[in-house]
Amino acid sequence: RTLLCRPQAWSWASQAIRKQGLACSCTQTTVVPTSSRHGARAHEVLFETWPCGLGYSTAAGSTAGSKEGALSASWHSKLSNVQLLNRLLCSTLLSSRYVAVLGAHAIQSGILEAPAIGGILRALVRSTFFAVYCGGQTLEDASADVKKTLALSKWKAALDLTVETATSKEEATANFQQQKKAMEVTKELPGVAANCLKISAFSPPGLLEKVSRILRYNALGNEQSGNPSVVKTSMPWFERYKGFIGLTDACTPPHDAVGHLDPSDPLSPEEEQELSDLFERLCCLCEMDTNGHKHILVDAEYWSQQPAIDLMTHALMSRFNKERAVVHGTVQAYLRGSLERLRRILPPAKEAGIHYGVKLVRGAYMETERRRAAENGVLSPINSQIEDTHREYDACAATVCDFIVQSSRVELYHSLWLATHNKASVLKLLEQIRCSELGTLSMSQFHFAQLKGMGDSLSDLVAREGLPVAKYVPFGSVSQASPYLARRILENSAIGGSTGEEMRQILSELKLRLVSRLLPPAVA
């Protein structure tokens, strides 16, 4: 307990406590009817400080809330005034759904390349949204950002080269060479926990869509049409793993599949060679991270491409996850039937002795997926209600956690990357981990990830629990990163609660700094 002559002075005191590496909560308990030397009443204030360890953030009630708030503030206190103001500007803009949609569509329209105003707009985007959400324009910029983040916190980075779906074979080859160079440079960088791969960036146009149609036909088309024929290929790895991707009726709505699953157009010898070459490219990249003891996070993409991506991801796991979970496939909880599909693919992985890796996300292509479904007059593969996606996400996380606990008894160490900005989902998994009484080795099988510039207070909270945390750090030119920025702008505006909370935390920190400058400490 301490007496402060001014009500605002608790801000200065709490900042001083934070500098000692402690979290704190503050409660004004008594108004003392004694005038101070300044002629103002002194307020008795109770400061509670505590060390941070597993279980604190999962406590129920107002105490947990106050501690989470204090942990959040401790991260923002490490940012400069310019960084805080920039984040406040971006959060304010994104708090309006209309502004966010308008900005995202403007970026996607190609206006950044306009000859007259493109340069000015790129500079504006680079100094605001790009500075907040991206690690830089070059690999050197991204490396410096990773080192800076590691110095300020316990976070590591999941590096992502901002390349999009290739529009030509030449572009696919160039993207592969760029990705390979980036992974060679960052192989020994201590702050990098994982590298992200976007398979469509290394694939010839249209190949993944065609392979996905064949896989869906093989899994479901013969049941829907009564045709027992199955499309086969001459690739042994393809035939071996094509049944391990867990396709279900929920993943492919029957009336949506009828017009799209056509067995009359199998892969040509040229396309089979292109698919084999793509798989070898991915093996080359995974081999580099296997030697560097980092994780590979295979990005989820559009519904029309996902079965082919899942097939190659499972084949990569079978090859590189024999001793530890290196390759991680992504499950999108906003897709119908995600939980059922996850329950289908995990048991065979355990039987095969694969250290399975899962990255769990809600999904980032909702706008495009729904628009495509509407244009084709079919049922959208996306859940109709956000509440369904939240339930599916939490159920998937709980399922993988149980799977990890059970498999650790037979020395299979699977891995889960929980990529989310939803505090409720994080706290639920933290509680499940704490109750499972896992050992130190098993604790390292859980990784929490948030995007750079988003959910920083949540990242800080989890890091203080002693669990691995990584920030998703994209890098590339402003023009190259524009599709990524557009998705982030839409996603950030869609989770308005998080954006509003971030704004409140930033404003609180700025006010604290202002008060600590204007009001010198006066303790009775």
Side-chain angles (χ1 to χ4, degrees):
R1 296 175 186 271
T2 185
L3 294 180
L4 302 174
C5 69
R6 302 193 185 199
Q8 300 96 329
W10 70 267
S11 298
W12 176 89
S14 62
Q15 185 182 42
I17 291 172
R18 293 207 315 258
K19 289 182 178 179
Q20 304 302 316
L22 296 171
C24 72
S25 64
C26 172
T27 306
Q28 179 179 310
T29 57
T30 309
V31 177
V32 182
T34 303
S35 297
S36 70
R37 66 178 182 273
H38 294 282
R41 286 186 171 184
H43 295 255
E44 185 178 21
V45 179
L46 172 64
F47 287 94
E48 180 190 2
T49 64
W50 62 87
C52 297
L54 186 63
Y56 281 112
S57 64
T58 60
S62 59
T63 303
S66 64
K67 291 179 180 179
E68 289 166 21
L71 292 173
S72 301
S74 67
W75 162 249
H76 287 100
S77 66
K78 301 173 185 177
L79 301 179
S80 68
N81 291 336
V82 173
Q83 289 174 314
L84 284 175
L85 290 171
N86 198 6
R87 290 183 180 222
L88 181 61
L89 171 63
C90 293
S91 296
T92 302
L93 292 174
L94 296 183
S95 63
S96 168
R97 180 66 175 171
Y98 175 78
V99 173
V101 171
L102 183 64
H105 284 236
I107 291 176
Q108 291 173 323
S109 68
I111 195 172
L112 297 181
E113 304 301 323
I117 59 174
I120 298 175
L121 292 177
R122 283 197 300 274
L124 180 62
V125 171
R126 183 170 58 249
S127 61
T128 53
F129 293 106
F130 185 88
V132 171
Y133 299 128
C134 297
Q137 297 195 73
T138 65
L139 183 57
E140 290 73 21
D141 293 339
S143 299
D145 184 85
V146 169
K147 293 177 182 177
K148 183 178 179 180
T149 301
L150 189 62
L152 290 175
S153 64
K154 298 179 181 179
W155 310 342
K156 292 193 175 183
L159 282 182
D160 176 53
L161 179 64
T162 54
V163 289
E164 294 295 317
T165 301
T167 56
S168 66
K169 295 180 182 180
E170 293 74 20
E171 184 180 351
T173 301
N175 289 341
F176 167 70
Q177 295 297 335
Q178 195 175 0
Q179 181 73 58
K180 184 178 178 182
K181 178 182 177 181
M183 292 175 64
E184 286 175 348
V185 172
T186 60
K187 185 163 53 176
E188 302 302 328
L189 195 62
V192 177
N195 284 290
C196 303
L197 299 183
K198 191 177 183 70
I199 291 183
S200 66
F202 317 128
S203 170
L207 181 62
L208 295 177
E209 286 84 351
K210 185 171 183 178
V211 173
S212 295
R213 287 197 300 270
I214 291 175
L215 289 170
R216 284 195 169 103
Y217 175 80
N218 286 348
L220 304 169
N222 53 351
E223 297 177 5
Q224 296 168 6
S225 63
N227 188 346
S229 63
V230 174
V231 179
K232 295 185 178 181
T233 70
S234 61
M235 296 174 288
W237 65 269
F238 183 99
E239 296 300 320
R240 180 178 180 182
Y241 298 117
K242 66 183 181 182
F244 287 85
I245 58 177
L247 286 175
T248 66
D249 287 339
C251 301
T252 304
H255 68 279
D256 184 40
V258 170
H260 294 77
L261 303 177
D262 183 6
S264 62
D265 186 22
L267 291 177
S268 66
E270 181 182 358
E271 288 171 330
E272 287 193 8
Q273 185 60 51
E274 289 175 346
L275 189 61
S276 296
D277 292 343
L278 172 60
F279 184 67
E280 289 305 315
R281 285 178 176 177
L282 297 173
C283 289
C284 175
L285 297 175
C286 291
E287 187 70 40
M288 296 172 64
D289 261 19
T290 301
N291 296 333
H293 301 288
K294 292 178 172 58
H295 287 174
I296 288 284
L297 306 180
V298 179
D299 285 346
E301 303 192 43
Y302 293 113
W303 177 87
S304 59
Q305 302 170 326
Q306 198 57 47
I309 293 171
D310 291 338
L311 170 70
M312 285 185 283
T313 301
H314 186 90
L316 291 170
M317 286 188 199
S318 300
R319 182 166 176 175
F320 294 99
N321 291 18
K322 294 179 180 179
E323 297 181 1
R324 66 183 183 93
V326 177
V327 181
H328 292 64
T330 300
V331 175
Q332 300 178 97
Y334 72 174
L335 290 178
R336 301 175 190 270
S338 296
L339 178 60
E340 183 181 353
R341 175 179 161 269
L342 192 60
R343 287 171 173 167
R344 286 193 177 195
I345 62 179
L346 291 178
K350 182 178 179 180
E351 294 174 4
I354 299 173
H355 299 267
Y356 209 81
V358 175
K359 184 181 77 168
L360 184 59
V361 303
R362 278 174 168 78
Y365 301 96
M366 182 173 64
E367 301 280 343
T368 303
E369 295 285 18
R370 285 179 171 168
R371 186 184 70 249
R372 288 181 176 180
E375 291 172 352
N376 294 325
V378 297
L379 178 67
S380 171
I382 307 297
N383 290 325
S384 57
Q385 301 294 329
I386 185 63
E387 291 77 14
D388 296 334
T389 297
H390 291 329
R391 284 192 294 269
E392 195 91 347
Y393 188 94
D394 293 339
C396 287
T399 298
V400 177
C401 183
D402 289 339
F403 183 67
I404 288 176
V405 173
Q406 296 170 7
S407 299
S408 62
R409 298 168 186 162
V410 292
E411 298 186 352
L412 277 177
Y413 300 104
H414 309 293
S415 174
L416 170 64
W417 279 69
L418 195 81
T420 182
H421 305 106
N422 187 291
K423 184 183 293 184
S425 294
V426 170
L427 294 181
K428 285 179 182 178
L429 186 62
L430 285 176
E431 180 67 18
Q432 188 175 0
I433 293 172
R434 185 173 68 86
C435 294
S436 65
E437 299 180 354
L438 289 168
T440 304
L441 179 60
S442 296
M443 293 288 288
S444 65
Q445 296 170 247
F446 296 91
H447 306 262
F448 293 78
Q450 287 78 42
L451 300 171
K452 174 178 168 58
M454 293 175 63
D456 290 341
S457 59
L458 192 58
S459 301
D460 193 41
L461 186 151
V462 176
R464 287 175 179 267
E465 299 289 357
L467 290 166
V469 176
K471 301 299 283 187
Y472 186 90
V473 181
F475 66 95
S477 67
V478 175
S479 299
Q480 194 177 29
S482 58
Y484 171 84
L485 288 174
R487 291 195 296 270
R488 295 291 76 80
I489 289 172
L490 290 173
E491 179 180 355
N492 211 343
S493 66
I495 50 176
S498 268
T499 304
E501 183 179 353
E502 188 82 7
M503 290 173 62
R504 288 190 294 271
Q505 293 166 359
I506 294 172
L507 285 171
S508 176
E509 178 64 30
L510 289 171
K511 289 177 182 177
L512 187 152
R513 294 183 185 188
L514 180 61
V515 168
S516 65
R517 284 180 176 273
L518 297 179
L519 297 177
V523 180

